Amino acid sequence: MDTTISRLDARELAAWRGLLKVHAALSKALDAQLEAGHGLPLTSYEVLMYLADAEGGRMRMHDLASSVLLSRSGLTRLVDRLERDGYLERCSCAHDARGAFAVLTPAGREKLDAARDTHLAGVREHFLRHFSEEELEMLGTGWQRVLNDLT
Amino acid sequence: MDTTISRLDARELAAWRGLLKVHAALSKALDAQLEAGHGLPLTSYEVLMYLADAEGGRMRMHDLASSVLLSRSGLTRLVDRLERDGYLERCSCAHDARGAFAVLTPAGREKLDAARDTHLAGVREHFLRHFSEEELEMLGTGWQRVLNDLT
DNA sequence: CCTAAGTGGTTGCATGCGCAACTATAGCTG
DNA sequence: CAGCTATAGTTGCGCATGCAACCACTTAGG
């Protein structure tokens, strides 16, 4: 029986495998950079960043988990570590006794401020720099189509 | 002291965060699809695929590791599992007694043939479909620029 | 040759993650 | 308001992965 579906052509392969390779290489590079410069893993950085951008420097665990693309349990442990290191605190929610907020501490904000330049520079230097404005526009809208489709 | 580096604008943010989200969602979806349909994790699929495409259905461990974006130790364990399941065998190398080949077995090739259509259909349906030929071309060349830069 | 440095692969160990089960609370329905 | 279902967060557990140490072998240099 023949294969019913043809292989990927060179263009498709480059676009698809490239995505995988770029993600792997870029995550690794940016994580290493952040770890070396500030002792902060990339995932921790992202938590602090989302908190800093949120109203009052605080977010519900659930929302935070989906923002940083982690499972709820994964986020619980990550927040444990960040709390242990003093970068944030847990704070119970007045309106929903089940819930908890993660709240950025001054130390956390300080850490983030120190790390942000490093990280943004890395993203620009290793990723954004390689695309024109039109290309970035296309990437953004393309990602949106893919994500909508995946629900 | 002001931040020396400006935040990402909306376009940059969409291009960058989109890459992360798309990779996460897509890996998860394709992995689940493969696992559900053939009991084969995505990483295992990739090993079998690279072997099938290689001369004689065999590759050196080292080369295989870099192809599937895994550390050497990670590949050792993965190959352990695939060998246990009968999809491949280890085979010592005649020219270099240190080295080992991973060799696809008939069962492995069969498994791959069964899984390939599922996977390719998934990649097309959830990723390639959303981009025009020109856009795919752009993606491929863009990824190349990024990867060259990261060496 | 013989030694020293390098390379291929595996193993011990620690880590970070997801899933499923659990607890506590909220909110809906009769 | 009683009970049922859904949701928020945590915990136990298992798994895949990376790093560093390790062995076996190869290769280069005296």
Side-chain angles (χ1 to χ4, degrees):
Chain A
M1 172 176 93
D2 271 20
T3 47
T4 54
I5 296 191
S6 64
R7 305 294 188 85
L8 301 184
D9 65 32
R11 199 204 318 267
E12 293 172 320
L13 208 59
W16 169 236
R17 294 294 306 173
L19 170 65
L20 299 182
K21 285 190 198 170
V22 162
H23 176 269
L26 222 42
S27 306
K28 190 167 189 163
L30 293 173
D31 185 66
Q33 191 182 41
L34 221 39
E35 185 83 60
H38 303 91
L40 203 66
L42 185 53
T43 49
S44 299
Y45 171 86
E46 300 216 303
V47 167
L48 299 186
M49 188 199 67
Y50 274 101
L51 284 181
D53 287 349
E55 187 76 18
R58 64 213 217 109
M59 280 180 78
R60 293 290 294 265
M61 296 291 286
H62 182 88
D63 301 326
L64 199 46
S66 61
S67 294
V68 299
L69 311 175
L70 226 55
S71 69
R72 277 174 303 154
S73 63
L75 183 74
T76 292
R77 316 297 167 85
L78 179 48
V79 165
D80 285 347
R81 285 178 301 242
L82 290 170
E83 191 171 27
R84 170 174 50 71
D85 294 344
Y87 299 144
L88 56 77
E89 280 171 359
R90 277 181 172 83
C91 171
S92 54
C93 175
H95 299 296
D96 185 343
R98 295 169 303 181
F101 285 104
V103 190
L104 203 57
T105 63
R109 198 172 290 272
E110 215 168 292
K111 193 70 183 174
L112 176 64
D113 286 342
R116 200 193 308 258
D117 283 5
T118 302
H119 182 66
L120 287 185
V123 171
R124 287 194 216 276
E125 166 68 17
H126 297 304
F127 178 64
L128 298 172
R129 180 167 76 81
H130 297 290
F131 299 92
S132 70
E133 295 209 344
E134 293 75 28
E135 290 174 331
L136 289 178
E137 183 76 29
M138 190 281 268
L139 284 174
T141 57
W143 299 148
Q144 203 50 60
R145 290 194 295 275
V146 172
L147 292 170
N148 286 341
D149 167 69
L150 284 167
T151 310
Chain B
M1 171 177 91
D2 273 21
T3 46
T4 53
I5 296 191
S6 65
R7 306 293 187 85
L8 301 185
D9 64 33
R11 199 205 316 268
E12 293 172 320
L13 207 59
W16 169 236
R17 295 293 308 172
L19 170 65
L20 299 182
K21 286 190 195 171
V22 162
H23 176 269
L26 222 42
S27 307
K28 190 167 187 161
L30 293 173
D31 185 65
Q33 190 181 42
L34 220 41
E35 185 83 60
H38 303 91
L40 203 66
L42 185 53
T43 48
S44 299
Y45 172 85
E46 299 216 303
V47 167
L48 299 186
M49 188 200 67
Y50 274 101
L51 284 180
D53 287 348
E55 186 79 14
R58 63 212 216 110
M59 281 180 76
R60 292 291 293 265
M61 297 291 286
H62 182 88
D63 300 327
L64 199 45
S66 60
S67 295
V68 299
L69 311 175
L70 227 54
S71 68
R72 279 175 304 157
S73 65
L75 184 74
T76 293
R77 315 298 164 84
L78 179 48
V79 164
D80 286 347
R81 278 168 279 171
L82 290 169
E83 190 171 28
R84 168 174 51 70
D85 295 343
Y87 298 144
L88 57 75
E89 281 170 356
R90 278 183 172 81
C91 172
S92 54
C93 176
H95 298 297
D96 185 342
R98 293 168 303 181
F101 285 103
V103 190
L104 203 57
T105 61
R109 198 172 289 271
E110 216 168 290
K111 192 70 184 174
L112 176 64
D113 287 342
R116 200 191 311 254
D117 283 5
T118 302
H119 182 67
L120 287 186
V123 172
R124 287 194 216 277
E125 166 68 16
H126 296 303
F127 178 64
L128 299 172
R129 181 167 76 79
H130 296 290
F131 298 91
S132 69
E133 295 209 343
E134 292 75 27
E135 290 174 331
L136 289 178
E137 183 75 28
M138 190 282 269
L139 285 174
T141 57
W143 298 149
Q144 204 49 60
R145 289 195 295 273
V146 172
L147 292 170
N148 286 342
D149 166 68
L150 284 167
T151 313

